[in-house]
Amino acid sequence: RSYIGVAGQTVPIPRPIARANQLAVTSGVFVVSVEAKSPAAIAGLRDGDVVLAFAGQPVTGVDDLHRLLTDARIGAATPMTILRSGARRQLTLIPAEKPR
């Protein structure tokens, strides 16, 4: 499995924010912490961001994100859609091999 270096939890997205950003999902992964020098930190992901999509696939919870972090993603530039301060943003992240 590939690694991005975040700890997160599944959270609901408030309906007004979902509507304002034309989101197809009603929940996402709230980023509790980002490991220093991890792929997520290098891509600019921050504590408090909410992950909405990874590699073009909706992320409605932690299980979705884990399922999408396959070995095939290691080293591949992967788009990630996030919600930051109520606005949708796009980041590009390069998952790494999980450190031992």
Side-chain angles (χ1 to χ4, degrees), residues 5-8 29-35 38-51 80 82-85 89 91 93:
V6 298
V29 174
F30 179 80
V31 177
V32 176
S33 66
V34 178
E35 291 178 32
S38 68
I42 292 165
L45 200 64
R46 299 183 195 157
D47 295 1
D49 288 345
V50 177
V51 178
M80 177 183 265
I82 63 163
L83 201 57
R84 179 180 292 161
S85 304
R89 294 180 182 216
L91 300 176
L93 195 137

Side-chain angles (χ1 to χ4, degrees), residues 4-78:
I4 59 171
V6 298
Q9 64 187 46
T10 303
V11 294
I13 295 170
R15 198 169 282 136
I17 291 174
R19 210 174 297 127
N21 287 283
Q22 299 169 345
L23 303 178
V25 293
T26 56
S27 60
V29 174
F30 179 80
V31 177
V32 176
S33 66
V34 178
E35 291 178 32
K37 298 181 181 146
S38 68
I42 292 165
L45 200 64
R46 299 183 195 157
D47 295 1
D49 288 345
V50 177
V51 178
L52 304 172
F54 185 78
Q57 299 295 312
V59 173
T60 60
V62 174
D63 291 342
D64 285 348
L65 188 55
H66 280 200
R67 185 174 42 76
L68 293 167
L69 289 171
T70 63
D71 286 350
R73 300 235 191 268
I74 295 171
T78 308

